Amino acid sequence: MRGQAAQDPAARPQTPAPQPRPTTTLRQRLAELRGPSVAPHPLDARALAALAANPGCKRRALLDGAGVDKGVLAQALGSPAPFGQSQFAFMRGNAFEARVKADGGAELLRLLYERLGGSSPAPGPDVATPDLSAAGPEGRAARTALALREATAAGGWALLDHPMLALEVAGSPAYLEPDAVVVHPDGRWTVVEIKSFPMIDASADAAKVGAAARQAAVYVLALERVAAVTEGAQVDHRVLLVCPKDFSNLPTASVVDVRKQRAVTRRQLTRLTRIEDIAAALPEGTTFDPACSPRELESAVSAVSAAYAPECLAACELAFHCRARSRAEGAVETLGRSVRGELGGLTTVAGVLAAAAGKEGDPADPTVAALRRAAALRAEALESAAVLRERAREEESAVCR
């Protein structure tokens, strides 16, 4: 009986089955990364355009996707970014936008009809201006989508002031707020960008216009998601850029074709690594809460790879921190993407100098051979310059005698 009892499976002590680990949703994980008491920092179209311009930077993708305020984080790390829009420029921009949209947007619609009206009748006093207020960004995005569908179905002019659009970025939704979107009677949707930089003699600063075009392209991409499920709707690839005329405060407008910027932005956003994949690779307990010590924040930031380039200095609040680390590591990316592309497999400045001096590197490598040739030419030029300086000294001494 004892043998039977020993062989009876029911009589053996039962080992408790392992309990599955509680799953954490992406929203919860991003909240942990941001900090339990830190509100998410909104991702605007300007930041999204900069992110799309550098799709290899996992650090920025994660921080922007989690809603981390990179300016506050840079301050806590001791590397604040010494740039930003001044309060005066901010107030001037708001005052100009209010003037453009005064009287129900009559001046804005007049400028748009002159440039992009087409065969539709001119907008009159009965232009629809739907109320887009709702609770939270998700509610406002849903309310905007409904207003766009209703305006398109009505077949008249409609002006949406600061609508809210949603766009998926690296697996996480980003909510974007253009200055205005106009619905035409023929079903076209046009993005309107209002900027405070001047347009002198019908032309503006090319760099500023390019930045505005990249920003507007993000709005066009977000609008296309709504237009895809709206009968009769079509997003115009031309946007209306409204700026002050010459040196006055009077508005003028120009049409900007953003097809190229839209295609580039769409391709770059597709290449972005999904945020959950980046977050899953982080050590347990990683957080970017600004209440943590600088050492903890430094460790958290270093756990996510970055793709620094000098262009980041004009677009990312963490660029000065990343530049300091890139310089400390001697990375060739510090010198620019074009230089990095020319150097092939040489990834550090020390390695490049050693290859040029003939201490390291394969002589058969074209990059190494070019570096050594350049070093030889530099040495020859310096030697010639030294000879000329010595000769000039001798001639000067002879004259003084």
Side-chain angles (χ1 to χ4, degrees):
M1 295 293 293
R2 288 181 183 176
Q4 292 179 357
Q7 297 174 1
D8 188 359
R12 298 174 184 172
Q14 298 295 316
T15 303
Q19 297 295 322
R21 295 178 60 181
T23 57
T24 303
T25 64
L26 177 61
R27 188 185 298 272
Q28 292 172 327
R29 179 59 176 143
L30 296 183
E32 293 172 359
L33 292 173
R34 190 170 57 245
S37 60
V38 180
H41 186 69
L43 181 63
D44 59 12
R46 182 177 301 174
L48 191 53
L51 175 61
N54 190 9
C57 187
K58 295 181 179 180
R59 181 176 297 171
R60 174 153 195 167
L62 179 65
L63 294 176
D64 283 346
V68 176
D69 190 332
K70 298 190 298 297
V72 174
L73 180 59
Q75 186 77 32
L77 287 168
S79 302
F83 63 82
Q85 190 177 30
S86 67
Q87 190 66 22
F88 173 75
F90 184 74
M91 294 174 61
R92 182 182 61 186
N94 284 345
F96 178 69
E97 182 177 341
R99 177 168 187 164
V100 172
K101 294 180 178 178
D103 299 327
E107 182 66 12
L108 187 156
L109 290 168
R110 182 188 68 80
L111 290 170
L112 183 136
Y113 185 74
E114 287 180 357
R115 272 72 174 180
L116 295 170
S119 59
S120 301
D126 57 343
V127 174
T129 54
D131 181 16
L132 304 178
S133 58
E138 295 181 8
R140 289 187 58 199
R143 181 69 187 89
T144 297
L146 178 61
L148 287 168
R149 287 193 289 268
E150 290 176 344
T152 303
W157 290 97
L159 172 62
L160 279 67
D161 185 10
H162 284 287
M164 183 66 72
L165 306 173
L167 182 65
E168 185 175 299
V169 181
S172 180
Y175 294 99
L176 314 169
E177 189 175 355
D179 294 327
V181 172
V182 176
V183 178
H184 298 243
D186 58 4
R188 279 184 298 146
W189 299 351
T190 300
V191 173
V192 178
E193 272 292 281
I194 303 174
K195 297 297 183 182
S196 59
F197 56 82
M199 194 175 293
I200 301 173
D201 292 335
S203 64
D205 183 87
K208 294 180 179 179
V209 173
R214 290 190 294 272
Q215 186 175 340
V218 177
Y219 298 137
V220 169
L221 283 175
L223 271 177
E224 287 176 345
R225 297 178 70 251
V226 185
V229 293
T230 303
E231 185 178 357
Q234 180 185 4
V235 182
D236 200 337
H237 59 261
R238 298 167 299 171
V239 303
L240 188 73
L241 177 63
V242 182
C243 299
K245 182 179 181 179
D246 297 329
F247 300 99
S248 69
N249 202 32
L250 298 174
T252 186
S254 177
V255 176
V256 181
D257 193 319
V258 298
R259 279 180 292 185
K260 179 180 177 181
Q261 291 84 352
R262 180 190 61 175
V264 171
T265 302
R266 174 182 289 169
R267 183 172 65 252
Q268 299 292 56
L269 291 179
T270 304
R271 292 174 55 194
L272 285 174
T273 306
R274 294 182 65 85
I275 291 177
E276 55 262 40
D277 297 336
I278 304 174
L282 295 178
E284 190 70 26
T286 299
T287 180
F288 303 101
D289 191 340
C292 296
S293 66
R295 180 177 296 180
E296 292 174 315
L297 290 176
E298 171 68 33
S299 176
V301 170
S302 300
V304 192
S305 62
Y308 170 76
E311 295 86 347
C312 298
L313 295 173
C316 182
E317 295 86 344
L318 271 181
F320 290 86
H321 172 81
C322 297
R323 182 181 66 174
R325 297 303 174 270
S326 182
R327 285 177 173 177
E329 296 169 0
V332 295
E333 286 82 0
T334 309
L335 305 175
R337 291 194 179 100
S338 59
V339 177
R340 175 68 188 89
E342 293 289 340
L343 292 174
L346 301 173
T347 59
T348 64
V349 175
V352 172
L353 295 176
K359 299 177 181 179
E360 295 180 7
D362 182 4
D365 187 340
T367 301
V368 175
L371 287 170
R372 292 181 181 178
R373 176 59 178 160
L377 291 174
R378 179 178 181 273
E380 183 179 341
L382 292 175
E383 184 178 355
S384 300
V387 171
L388 291 175
R389 283 196 301 269
E390 184 62 28
R391 186 177 301 171
R393 278 197 215 98
E394 291 175 356
E395 292 175 355
E396 185 178 354
S397 299
V399 171
C400 291
R401 292 196 194 107

PDB file of all heavy atoms in Angstrom, residues 27-58:
ATOM      1  N   ARG A  27       1.066  52.518 -22.815  1.00  0.00           N
ATOM      2  CA  ARG A  27       0.754  53.786 -22.157  1.00  0.00           C
ATOM      3  C   ARG A  27       1.336  53.829 -20.746  1.00  0.00           C
ATOM      4  O   ARG A  27       1.906  54.844 -20.327  1.00  0.00           O
ATOM      5  CB  ARG A  27      -0.765  53.988 -22.123  1.00  0.00           C
ATOM      6  CG  ARG A  27      -1.194  55.375 -21.638  1.00  0.00           C
ATOM      7  CD  ARG A  27      -2.712  55.406 -21.525  1.00  0.00           C
ATOM      8  NE  ARG A  27      -3.334  55.195 -22.808  1.00  0.00           N
ATOM      9  CZ  ARG A  27      -3.609  56.174 -23.663  1.00  0.00           C
ATOM     10  NH1 ARG A  27      -3.293  57.421 -23.366  1.00  0.00           N
ATOM     11  NH2 ARG A  27      -4.202  55.917 -24.807  1.00  0.00           N
ATOM     12  N   GLN A  28       1.191  52.716 -20.001  1.00  0.00           N
ATOM     13  CA  GLN A  28       1.746  52.659 -18.655  1.00  0.00           C
ATOM     14  C   GLN A  28       3.265  52.724 -18.674  1.00  0.00           C
ATOM     15  O   GLN A  28       3.887  53.392 -17.843  1.00  0.00           O
ATOM     16  CB  GLN A  28       1.284  51.382 -17.946  1.00  0.00           C
ATOM     17  CG  GLN A  28      -0.202  51.341 -17.637  1.00  0.00           C
ATOM     18  CD  GLN A  28      -0.630  49.974 -17.120  1.00  0.00           C
ATOM     19  OE1 GLN A  28      -0.073  48.948 -17.519  1.00  0.00           O
ATOM     20  NE2 GLN A  28      -1.611  49.962 -16.226  1.00  0.00           N
ATOM     21  N   ARG A  29       3.874  52.016 -19.639  1.00  0.00           N
ATOM     22  CA  ARG A  29       5.324  51.998 -19.729  1.00  0.00           C
ATOM     23  C   ARG A  29       5.870  53.396 -20.030  1.00  0.00           C
ATOM     24  O   ARG A  29       6.861  53.827 -19.435  1.00  0.00           O
ATOM     25  CB  ARG A  29       5.749  51.022 -20.826  1.00  0.00           C
ATOM     26  CG  ARG A  29       7.245  50.915 -21.048  1.00  0.00           C
ATOM     27  CD  ARG A  29       7.960  50.480 -19.799  1.00  0.00           C
ATOM     28  NE  ARG A  29       9.380  50.277 -20.033  1.00  0.00           N
ATOM     29  CZ  ARG A  29      10.328  50.568 -19.165  1.00  0.00           C
ATOM     30  NH1 ARG A  29      10.006  51.096 -17.993  1.00  0.00           N
ATOM     31  NH2 ARG A  29      11.585  50.340 -19.435  1.00  0.00           N
ATOM     32  N   LEU A  30       5.224  54.110 -20.932  1.00  0.00           N
ATOM     33  CA  LEU A  30       5.668  55.459 -21.261  1.00  0.00           C
ATOM     34  C   LEU A  30       5.466  56.402 -20.076  1.00  0.00           C
ATOM     35  O   LEU A  30       6.286  57.315 -19.859  1.00  0.00           O
ATOM     36  CB  LEU A  30       4.921  55.982 -22.483  1.00  0.00           C
ATOM     37  CG  LEU A  30       5.166  55.217 -23.790  1.00  0.00           C
ATOM     38  CD1 LEU A  30       4.419  55.876 -24.933  1.00  0.00           C
ATOM     39  CD2 LEU A  30       6.652  55.125 -24.112  1.00  0.00           C
ATOM     40  N   ALA A  31       4.392  56.195 -19.307  1.00  0.00           N
ATOM     41  CA  ALA A  31       4.183  57.014 -18.107  1.00  0.00           C
ATOM     42  C   ALA A  31       5.279  56.761 -17.081  1.00  0.00           C
ATOM     43  O   ALA A  31       5.736  57.684 -16.395  1.00  0.00           O
ATOM     44  CB  ALA A  31       2.807  56.727 -17.509  1.00  0.00           C
ATOM     45  N   GLU A  32       5.724  55.501 -16.948  1.00  0.00           N
ATOM     46  CA  GLU A  32       6.827  55.189 -16.041  1.00  0.00           C
ATOM     47  C   GLU A  32       8.116  55.862 -16.498  1.00  0.00           C
ATOM     48  O   GLU A  32       8.883  56.375 -15.675  1.00  0.00           O
ATOM     49  CB  GLU A  32       7.024  53.671 -15.969  1.00  0.00           C
ATOM     50  CG  GLU A  32       5.880  52.925 -15.308  1.00  0.00           C
ATOM     51  CD  GLU A  32       6.034  51.412 -15.432  1.00  0.00           C
ATOM     52  OE1 GLU A  32       7.028  50.977 -16.050  1.00  0.00           O
ATOM     53  OE2 GLU A  32       5.162  50.685 -14.922  1.00  0.00           O
ATOM     54  N   LEU A  33       8.366  55.853 -17.798  1.00  0.00           N
ATOM     55  CA  LEU A  33       9.569  56.500 -18.313  1.00  0.00           C
ATOM     56  C   LEU A  33       9.517  58.006 -18.085  1.00  0.00           C
ATOM     57  O   LEU A  33      10.537  58.636 -17.781  1.00  0.00           O
ATOM     58  CB  LEU A  33       9.722  56.210 -19.804  1.00  0.00           C
ATOM     59  CG  LEU A  33      10.032  54.759 -20.197  1.00  0.00           C
ATOM     60  CD1 LEU A  33       9.978  54.601 -21.704  1.00  0.00           C
ATOM     61  CD2 LEU A  33      11.407  54.346 -19.681  1.00  0.00           C
ATOM     62  N   ARG A  34       8.353  58.582 -18.235  1.00  0.00           N
ATOM     63  CA  ARG A  34       8.199  60.027 -18.094  1.00  0.00           C
ATOM     64  C   ARG A  34       8.295  60.454 -16.637  1.00  0.00           C
ATOM     65  O   ARG A  34       8.828  61.525 -16.326  1.00  0.00           O
ATOM     66  CB  ARG A  34       6.849  60.436 -18.687  1.00  0.00           C
ATOM     67  CG  ARG A  34       6.625  61.909 -18.836  1.00  0.00           C
ATOM     68  CD  ARG A  34       5.378  62.161 -19.657  1.00  0.00           C
ATOM     69  NE  ARG A  34       4.190  61.540 -19.089  1.00  0.00           N
ATOM     70  CZ  ARG A  34       3.503  60.572 -19.674  1.00  0.00           C
ATOM     71  NH1 ARG A  34       3.885  60.094 -20.827  1.00  0.00           N
ATOM     72  NH2 ARG A  34       2.430  60.059 -19.099  1.00  0.00           N
ATOM     73  N   GLY A  35       7.787  59.625 -15.739  1.00  0.00           N
ATOM     74  CA  GLY A  35       7.734  59.972 -14.325  1.00  0.00           C
ATOM     75  C   GLY A  35       6.292  59.920 -13.867  1.00  0.00           C
ATOM     76  O   GLY A  35       5.392  60.392 -14.583  1.00  0.00           O
ATOM     77  N   PRO A  36       6.017  59.358 -12.691  1.00  0.00           N
ATOM     78  CA  PRO A  36       4.621  59.164 -12.269  1.00  0.00           C
ATOM     79  C   PRO A  36       3.822  60.453 -12.117  1.00  0.00           C
ATOM     80  O   PRO A  36       2.614  60.451 -12.281  1.00  0.00           O
ATOM     81  CB  PRO A  36       4.762  58.439 -10.916  1.00  0.00           C
ATOM     82  CG  PRO A  36       6.148  58.766 -10.449  1.00  0.00           C
ATOM     83  CD  PRO A  36       6.974  58.906 -11.679  1.00  0.00           C
ATOM     84  N   SER A  37       4.478  61.561 -11.815  1.00  0.00           N
ATOM     85  CA  SER A  37       3.752  62.813 -11.583  1.00  0.00           C
ATOM     86  C   SER A  37       3.996  63.836 -12.680  1.00  0.00           C
ATOM     87  O   SER A  37       3.682  65.012 -12.512  1.00  0.00           O
ATOM     88  CB  SER A  37       4.154  63.401 -10.228  1.00  0.00           C
ATOM     89  OG  SER A  37       5.552  63.665 -10.187  1.00  0.00           O
ATOM     90  N   VAL A  38       4.550  63.406 -13.808  1.00  0.00           N
ATOM     91  CA  VAL A  38       4.904  64.330 -14.885  1.00  0.00           C
ATOM     92  C   VAL A  38       3.883  64.213 -16.007  1.00  0.00           C
ATOM     93  O   VAL A  38       3.649  63.115 -16.520  1.00  0.00           O
ATOM     94  CB  VAL A  38       6.321  64.042 -15.429  1.00  0.00           C
ATOM     95  CG1 VAL A  38       6.669  65.022 -16.539  1.00  0.00           C
ATOM     96  CG2 VAL A  38       7.346  64.129 -14.305  1.00  0.00           C
ATOM     97  N   ALA A  39       3.283  65.331 -16.371  1.00  0.00           N
ATOM     98  CA  ALA A  39       2.314  65.329 -17.471  1.00  0.00           C
ATOM     99  C   ALA A  39       3.054  65.180 -18.804  1.00  0.00           C
ATOM    100  O   ALA A  39       4.172  65.675 -18.954  1.00  0.00           O
ATOM    101  CB  ALA A  39       1.511  66.624 -17.468  1.00  0.00           C
ATOM    102  N   PRO A  40       2.459  64.501 -19.777  1.00  0.00           N
ATOM    103  CA  PRO A  40       3.142  64.318 -21.073  1.00  0.00           C
ATOM    104  C   PRO A  40       3.325  65.639 -21.805  1.00  0.00           C
ATOM    105  O   PRO A  40       2.426  66.485 -21.832  1.00  0.00           O
ATOM    106  CB  PRO A  40       2.215  63.372 -21.832  1.00  0.00           C
ATOM    107  CG  PRO A  40       0.878  63.524 -21.173  1.00  0.00           C
ATOM    108  CD  PRO A  40       1.142  63.840 -19.733  1.00  0.00           C
ATOM    109  N   HIS A  41       4.494  65.815 -22.393  1.00  0.00           N
ATOM    110  CA  HIS A  41       4.782  67.009 -23.189  1.00  0.00           C
ATOM    111  C   HIS A  41       4.276  66.749 -24.604  1.00  0.00           C
ATOM    112  O   HIS A  41       4.665  65.760 -25.233  1.00  0.00           O
ATOM    113  CB  HIS A  41       6.290  67.274 -23.197  1.00  0.00           C
ATOM    114  CG  HIS A  41       6.675  68.555 -23.860  1.00  0.00           C
ATOM    115  ND1 HIS A  41       6.386  69.795 -23.330  1.00  0.00           N
ATOM    116  CD2 HIS A  41       7.323  68.803 -25.027  1.00  0.00           C
ATOM    117  CE1 HIS A  41       6.847  70.734 -24.121  1.00  0.00           C
ATOM    118  NE2 HIS A  41       7.406  70.165 -25.163  1.00  0.00           N
ATOM    119  N   PRO A  42       3.415  67.612 -25.156  1.00  0.00           N
ATOM    120  CA  PRO A  42       2.837  67.334 -26.484  1.00  0.00           C
ATOM    121  C   PRO A  42       3.896  67.353 -27.578  1.00  0.00           C
ATOM    122  O   PRO A  42       4.844  68.139 -27.541  1.00  0.00           O
ATOM    123  CB  PRO A  42       1.814  68.462 -26.662  1.00  0.00           C
ATOM    124  CG  PRO A  42       2.277  69.551 -25.750  1.00  0.00           C
ATOM    125  CD  PRO A  42       2.926  68.874 -24.588  1.00  0.00           C
ATOM    126  N   LEU A  43       3.730  66.488 -28.550  1.00  0.00           N
ATOM    127  CA  LEU A  43       4.621  66.402 -29.701  1.00  0.00           C
ATOM    128  C   LEU A  43       4.004  67.210 -30.832  1.00  0.00           C
ATOM    129  O   LEU A  43       2.991  66.824 -31.391  1.00  0.00           O
ATOM    130  CB  LEU A  43       4.799  64.943 -30.123  1.00  0.00           C
ATOM    131  CG  LEU A  43       5.714  64.657 -31.309  1.00  0.00           C
ATOM    132  CD1 LEU A  43       7.134  65.093 -31.004  1.00  0.00           C
ATOM    133  CD2 LEU A  43       5.680  63.178 -31.662  1.00  0.00           C
ATOM    134  N   ASP A  44       4.609  68.359 -31.152  1.00  0.00           N
ATOM    135  CA  ASP A  44       4.050  69.207 -32.197  1.00  0.00           C
ATOM    136  C   ASP A  44       4.669  68.873 -33.547  1.00  0.00           C
ATOM    137  O   ASP A  44       5.598  68.056 -33.656  1.00  0.00           O
ATOM    138  CB  ASP A  44       4.238  70.687 -31.859  1.00  0.00           C
ATOM    139  CG  ASP A  44       5.710  71.063 -31.672  1.00  0.00           C
ATOM    140  OD1 ASP A  44       6.588  70.248 -32.022  1.00  0.00           O
ATOM    141  OD2 ASP A  44       5.974  72.168 -31.168  1.00  0.00           O
ATOM    142  N   ALA A  45       4.147  69.522 -34.584  1.00  0.00           N
ATOM    143  CA  ALA A  45       4.594  69.214 -35.945  1.00  0.00           C
ATOM    144  C   ALA A  45       6.044  69.630 -36.168  1.00  0.00           C
ATOM    145  O   ALA A  45       6.762  68.992 -36.938  1.00  0.00           O
ATOM    146  CB  ALA A  45       3.686  69.915 -36.958  1.00  0.00           C
ATOM    147  N   ARG A  46       6.493  70.693 -35.502  1.00  0.00           N
ATOM    148  CA  ARG A  46       7.879  71.120 -35.671  1.00  0.00           C
ATOM    149  C   ARG A  46       8.832  70.054 -35.150  1.00  0.00           C
ATOM    150  O   ARG A  46       9.817  69.705 -35.799  1.00  0.00           O
ATOM    151  CB  ARG A  46       8.096  72.442 -34.936  1.00  0.00           C
ATOM    152  CG  ARG A  46       9.496  73.015 -35.089  1.00  0.00           C
ATOM    153  CD  ARG A  46       9.606  74.353 -34.394  1.00  0.00           C
ATOM    154  NE  ARG A  46       8.641  75.304 -34.936  1.00  0.00           N
ATOM    155  CZ  ARG A  46       8.443  76.521 -34.429  1.00  0.00           C
ATOM    156  NH1 ARG A  46       9.118  76.922 -33.379  1.00  0.00           N
ATOM    157  NH2 ARG A  46       7.558  77.336 -34.971  1.00  0.00           N
ATOM    158  N   ALA A  47       8.521  69.512 -33.967  1.00  0.00           N
ATOM    159  CA  ALA A  47       9.363  68.453 -33.412  1.00  0.00           C
ATOM    160  C   ALA A  47       9.260  67.185 -34.247  1.00  0.00           C
ATOM    161  O   ALA A  47      10.246  66.459 -34.419  1.00  0.00           O
ATOM    162  CB  ALA A  47       8.953  68.168 -31.966  1.00  0.00           C
ATOM    163  N   LEU A  48       8.074  66.919 -34.774  1.00  0.00           N
ATOM    164  CA  LEU A  48       7.879  65.719 -35.584  1.00  0.00           C
ATOM    165  C   LEU A  48       8.646  65.808 -36.891  1.00  0.00           C
ATOM    166  O   LEU A  48       9.231  64.821 -37.355  1.00  0.00           O
ATOM    167  CB  LEU A  48       6.393  65.518 -35.856  1.00  0.00           C
ATOM    168  CG  LEU A  48       5.960  64.182 -36.457  1.00  0.00           C
ATOM    169  CD1 LEU A  48       6.487  63.028 -35.637  1.00  0.00           C
ATOM    170  CD2 LEU A  48       4.456  64.121 -36.556  1.00  0.00           C
ATOM    171  N   ALA A  49       8.697  67.001 -37.479  1.00  0.00           N
ATOM    172  CA  ALA A  49       9.481  67.183 -38.706  1.00  0.00           C
ATOM    173  C   ALA A  49      10.968  66.990 -38.427  1.00  0.00           C
ATOM    174  O   ALA A  49      11.695  66.388 -39.232  1.00  0.00           O
ATOM    175  CB  ALA A  49       9.225  68.574 -39.279  1.00  0.00           C
ATOM    176  N   ALA A  50      11.437  67.485 -37.271  1.00  0.00           N
ATOM    177  CA  ALA A  50      12.840  67.287 -36.901  1.00  0.00           C
ATOM    178  C   ALA A  50      13.131  65.815 -36.625  1.00  0.00           C
ATOM    179  O   ALA A  50      14.204  65.304 -36.970  1.00  0.00           O
ATOM    180  CB  ALA A  50      13.176  68.123 -35.669  1.00  0.00           C
ATOM    181  N   LEU A  51      12.176  65.114 -36.014  1.00  0.00           N
ATOM    182  CA  LEU A  51      12.343  63.691 -35.751  1.00  0.00           C
ATOM    183  C   LEU A  51      12.408  62.904 -37.058  1.00  0.00           C
ATOM    184  O   LEU A  51      13.227  61.990 -37.211  1.00  0.00           O
ATOM    185  CB  LEU A  51      11.181  63.188 -34.890  1.00  0.00           C
ATOM    186  CG  LEU A  51      11.109  61.688 -34.603  1.00  0.00           C
ATOM    187  CD1 LEU A  51      12.345  61.232 -33.843  1.00  0.00           C
ATOM    188  CD2 LEU A  51       9.856  61.359 -33.811  1.00  0.00           C
ATOM    189  N   ALA A  52      11.572  63.264 -38.007  1.00  0.00           N
ATOM    190  CA  ALA A  52      11.585  62.575 -39.295  1.00  0.00           C
ATOM    191  C   ALA A  52      12.872  62.840 -40.062  1.00  0.00           C
ATOM    192  O   ALA A  52      13.301  62.016 -40.875  1.00  0.00           O
ATOM    193  CB  ALA A  52      10.383  63.013 -40.131  1.00  0.00           C
ATOM    194  N   ALA A  53      13.507  63.987 -39.798  1.00  0.00           N
ATOM    195  CA  ALA A  53      14.759  64.301 -40.479  1.00  0.00           C
ATOM    196  C   ALA A  53      15.928  63.493 -39.933  1.00  0.00           C
ATOM    197  O   ALA A  53      16.978  63.433 -40.565  1.00  0.00           O
ATOM    198  CB  ALA A  53      15.063  65.789 -40.350  1.00  0.00           C
ATOM    199  N   ASN A  54      15.750  62.866 -38.765  1.00  0.00           N
ATOM    200  CA  ASN A  54      16.813  62.056 -38.163  1.00  0.00           C
ATOM    201  C   ASN A  54      16.211  60.752 -37.636  1.00  0.00           C
ATOM    202  O   ASN A  54      16.143  60.526 -36.427  1.00  0.00           O
ATOM    203  CB  ASN A  54      17.489  62.835 -37.031  1.00  0.00           C
ATOM    204  CG  ASN A  54      18.756  62.161 -36.531  1.00  0.00           C
ATOM    205  OD1 ASN A  54      19.239  61.195 -37.123  1.00  0.00           O
ATOM    206  ND2 ASN A  54      19.296  62.660 -35.432  1.00  0.00           N
ATOM    207  N   PRO A  55      15.736  59.871 -38.533  1.00  0.00           N
ATOM    208  CA  PRO A  55      15.019  58.671 -38.096  1.00  0.00           C
ATOM    209  C   PRO A  55      15.887  57.678 -37.353  1.00  0.00           C
ATOM    210  O   PRO A  55      15.363  56.786 -36.691  1.00  0.00           O
ATOM    211  CB  PRO A  55      14.500  58.082 -39.415  1.00  0.00           C
ATOM    212  CG  PRO A  55      15.484  58.547 -40.436  1.00  0.00           C
ATOM    213  CD  PRO A  55      15.895  59.920 -39.993  1.00  0.00           C
ATOM    214  N   GLY A  56      17.209  57.782 -37.441  1.00  0.00           N
ATOM    215  CA  GLY A  56      18.069  56.824 -36.751  1.00  0.00           C
ATOM    216  C   GLY A  56      18.274  57.118 -35.287  1.00  0.00           C
ATOM    217  O   GLY A  56      18.911  56.332 -34.578  1.00  0.00           O
ATOM    218  N   CYS A  57      17.737  58.239 -34.789  1.00  0.00           N
ATOM    219  CA  CYS A  57      17.936  58.606 -33.377  1.00  0.00           C
ATOM    220  C   CYS A  57      16.836  57.970 -32.520  1.00  0.00           C
ATOM    221  O   CYS A  57      15.721  58.490 -32.410  1.00  0.00           O
ATOM    222  CB  CYS A  57      17.930  60.122 -33.215  1.00  0.00           C
ATOM    223  SG  CYS A  57      18.374  60.649 -31.545  1.00  0.00           S
ATOM    224  N   LYS A  58      17.159  56.825 -31.905  1.00  0.00           N
ATOM    225  CA  LYS A  58      16.198  56.157 -31.031  1.00  0.00           C
ATOM    226  C   LYS A  58      15.931  56.977 -29.771  1.00  0.00           C
ATOM    227  O   LYS A  58      14.844  56.917 -29.191  1.00  0.00           O
ATOM    228  CB  LYS A  58      16.717  54.773 -30.653  1.00  0.00           C
ATOM    229  CG  LYS A  58      16.838  53.811 -31.819  1.00  0.00           C
ATOM    230  CD  LYS A  58      17.325  52.450 -31.361  1.00  0.00           C
ATOM    231  CE  LYS A  58      17.427  51.480 -32.538  1.00  0.00           C
ATOM    232  NZ  LYS A  58      17.898  50.139 -32.105  1.00  0.00           N
TER     233      LYS A  58
END
